[in-house]
Amino acid sequence: MKGYVQIYTGNGKGKTTASLGLALRGAGAGLRVFVGQFLKQGNYSEINALARFKNVTVEQYGMGKFVKGVPSNEEKAAARDGYARLCDILATGTYDLVIVDEGNVAVTCNLISEAELLDLIDQKPDTVELVITGRGALPSVVDRADLVTEMLDIKHYFRQGVTARKGIEK
Ligand code: ATP
Ligand code: MG
């Protein structure tokens, strides 16, 4: 099957959950699914849920807090290892669906470069479906994609002071 490049971006809720919905669908179809999450560490319920599928792998390349300002050496090292791992995963073609969660944010936080993210897209074997999520997809990334969906923030309870809830946002 031919694989395409999908981007879920924008300020509204649903980017990561859309990619996880696709992971669920792919898992049900017997696809080999790999989810790599930049910036995140632990504490996400999808890890527990997806652990039930033997054809789904989830890895995290963050320190468990959002990068503020200049990333620390620790944050950079975790992202660097994650990026190398994703290159490997793509090159070997051992997964049919590869999801790079918060890949766009990894670029805007200077954890990986724009060129590195573009390289990842270019390395994709023809049969692999690649999904990149995160706010602020750069024009060059949008340009390389076959499908781009922007989640539009019309209303968000975050503005009522509701922070991330277990099972809903994490
Ligand atoms: P989800 O994981 O629920 O699909 P997402 O991937 O679209 O959301 P992210 O940009 O990754 O959204 O970040 C979501 C986190 O940021 C949430 O924990 C949420 O509480 C917080 N947040 C703050 N402002 C907003 C906003 N305007 N829209 C969405 N999330 C917001
Ligand atoms: Mg997200």
Side-chain angles (χ1 to χ4, degrees):
M1 189 172 72
K2 162 127 179 80
Y4 294 91
V5 178
Q6 305 190 22
I7 310 287
Y8 307 149
T9 192
N11 291 328
K13 177 174 166 69
K15 301 171 290 292
T16 296
T17 45
S19 72
L20 295 171
L22 198 58
L24 180 72
R25 181 177 280 166
L31 298 186
R32 297 161 304 169
V33 182
F34 187 90
V35 183
Q37 299 188 311
F38 279 107
L39 292 110
K40 297 176 176 173
Q41 189 54 248
N43 198 27
Y44 285 85
S45 308
E46 57 262 34
I47 309 255
N48 300 334
L50 294 174
R52 293 165 199 224
F53 298 100
K54 61 180 187 316
N55 51 333
V56 181
T57 305
V58 185
E59 290 183 1
Q60 297 183 312
Y61 312 128
M63 304 307 301
K65 55 183 166 51
F66 277 103
V67 175
K68 290 197 188 84
V70 180
S72 68
N73 287 336
E74 213 182 10
E75 286 163 336
K76 273 197 226 160
R80 195 128 306 279
D81 289 352
Y83 178 75
R85 176 89 174 123
L86 285 166
C87 288
D88 215 50
I89 290 295
L90 276 176
T92 55
T94 39
Y95 289 89
D96 306 298
L97 170 59
V98 176
I99 295 169
V100 182
D101 187 33
E102 311 304 344
N104 295 320
V105 183
V107 173
T108 52
C109 287
N110 294 309
L111 288 166
I112 63 170
S113 70
E114 179 177 1
E116 283 174 318
L117 188 60
L118 296 176
D119 271 354
L120 202 65
I121 296 172
D122 291 343
Q123 280 171 40
K124 182 191 88 59
D126 208 43
T127 54
V128 175
E129 188 88 7
L130 175 63
V131 179
I132 300 168
T133 85
R135 296 157 189 246
L138 294 177
S140 58
V141 176
V142 168
D143 205 54
R144 293 278 215 294
D146 303 292
L147 178 152
V148 181
T149 297
E150 180 176 10
M151 273 66 184
L152 176 66
D153 175 17
I154 291 177
K155 254 190 182 184
H156 197 295
Y157 40 61
F158 185 82
R159 282 187 282 279
Q160 295 174 32
V162 182
T163 52
R165 292 169 297 156
K166 189 172 181 195
I168 307 293
E169 276 87 28
K170 64 182 182 186

